[in-house]
Amino acid sequence: MNPIYRDMPTTIFEAMSMRARETGAINLGQGFPDGPINQQVIVMACDAMHHRSNQYPPMVGLPELREAVAGWYARHQALDLNPAEVVVTSGATEAIAAALLALISPGDEVLLFQPLYDAYLPLVQRAGGTARIVDMDRTRWRIDRDSLASAIGPRTRLLVFNDPMNPMSTCAHPDDLALLARTCLDHDLIAVCDEVWEALVYDGAPHRSLMQQPGMRERTVKIGSAGKIFGLTGWKLGWMCAAPPIARVLAKAHQFLTFTSPPHLQWAVAEGLDTQDAWIAAARDEHQASRDFFCAGLQALGLATLPSAATYFVTVDLAASGLVLDDIAFCEQILARAGVAAIPISAFYAESAPTHLVRFCFAKHRSTLQTALDGLARALPVLR
Ligand code: PMP
Ligand code: GLN
């Protein structure tokens, strides 16, 4: 049995969702929205299921979707992708797996930035790579130039970068993007960029892709997810974009993972990307309003929130809130006493985890958020 999997705990998202289901708690753990959910793409998927094909689509994706992804990035991120550079996958998770399997040879070293999305480390290891972990600074979540330089060696081939970042809800600083680009050029690295949260950047800020940096067009794999753009996380439809020599290798890995993804979902997402810009912008504004509502509620309870510039999440600093419990104990306590599930940030660390931070998902109806706040208000006096 592969020890990577034998000794691995169930992911924190599944574990907390299971606990929430068992206890009837409000699930502010795993990131999925109550809304807004794009009804138009659901109607289009049903229509395609009834009236178009239910058979295997092309391995790299339907031409309509590959064109729509390229068009969407041209409009929103000024990228000049050719549809042939887009490979459709079953969620961003499959894209990450395919990219790492395709680009890592046994013994290669891969730079990962901590906190890290939980899939990266086991996938790097399973692909035969050795992870070199770069700790981001723990107040502004910036990349330290010296830590980055000291993690690079002669076997370093790749870096994996998540921006906007889950869990800290930050957008990369332009200087950090420039630093990463220069590092990739100087050391001949490929950047695998997990940008699934690109459509959920708040306060009027643009999303900047590492692929836009000078020299990065030819050495970036840019990964996206329709689940996040349309509020349909269960659809598991994503894509990876890269220059042709890389895209060809990515497609080879994808062909033996899932080979292809449901055609009706692909048609629907293609039409959605072509026609739903106004809805996507309105959904973003609605999430921003939920963020503001929930953060104000947390602050009124004396909980210190970190800035949330993107994603469905906000993080509470327990120590700064006068709470001495560690993140796991706090999550256990609020599950039992407040009926609220959350995620301990230590789950996003492979080593030397901070234990004073807890992530909450605010992508829920106001009434649900209010019930969660009421539960926390009851529990907090006992926890302080
Ligand atoms: N990467 C990050 C950073 C995520 O937060 C998520 C899910 N929220 C994924 C990848 C997985 O995306 P998908 O559901 O499309 O597989
Ligand atoms: N990305 C989601 C989150 O951060 C969870 C996805 C999953 O459960 N694998 O909550």
Side-chain angles (χ1 to χ4, degrees), residues 11-15 17 28-32 93 117-119 166-167 196-197 228 233 236 312-313 343 348 359 361:
T11 98
I12 188 70
F13 309 120
E14 178 63 14
S17 286
L28 305 187
Q30 190 178 35
F32 60 90
T93 308
Y117 185 61
D118 67 344
N166 179 8
V196 300
W197 297 103
K228 302 295 184 300
T233 60
K236 298 298 291 185
Y312 293 151
F313 310 116
I343 301 280
F348 295 85
R359 191 194 83 174
C361 173

Side-chain angles (χ1 to χ4, degrees), residues 96-151:
I96 296 163
L100 296 177
L101 288 172
L103 300 173
I104 295 173
S105 299
D108 284 352
E109 293 185 357
V110 180
L111 300 175
L112 299 180
F113 297 87
Q114 194 171 245
L116 39 82
Y117 185 61
D118 67 344
Y120 302 157
L121 181 58
L123 286 172
V124 165
Q125 292 173 334
R126 194 64 193 98
T130 302
R132 292 280 166 212
I133 294 181
V134 180
D135 229 15
M136 298 180 90
D137 97 72
R138 296 182 179 193
T139 48
R140 297 179 63 209
W141 314 99
R142 297 279 309 271
I143 297 170
D144 176 62
R145 181 183 302 270
D146 295 335
S147 311
L148 177 62
S150 65

Side-chain angles (χ1 to χ4, degrees), residues 63-98:
E64 291 91 331
L65 179 54
R66 300 172 81 199
E67 263 167 47
V69 169
W72 198 73
Y73 284 139
R75 284 201 307 286
H76 294 286
Q77 295 177 27
L79 286 167
D80 63 338
L81 289 162
N82 187 299
E85 295 175 296
V86 180
V87 179
V88 176
T89 58
S90 291
T93 308
E94 197 228 333
I96 296 163

Side-chain angles (χ1 to χ4, degrees), residues 16 26 32 55-56 58 77 84 104 108 117 139 150 173 187 200 219 226 252 297 328 332 335 358 361 380:
M16 290 312 279
I26 294 172
F32 60 90
Q55 308 308 331
Y56 295 132
Q77 295 177 27
I104 295 173
D108 284 352
Y117 185 61
T139 48
S150 65
H173 191 284
H187 297 275
L200 292 170
R219 52 175 71 245
K252 298 281 167 58
I328 295 174
E332 290 292 342
L335 197 66
V358 171
C361 173
L380 280 171

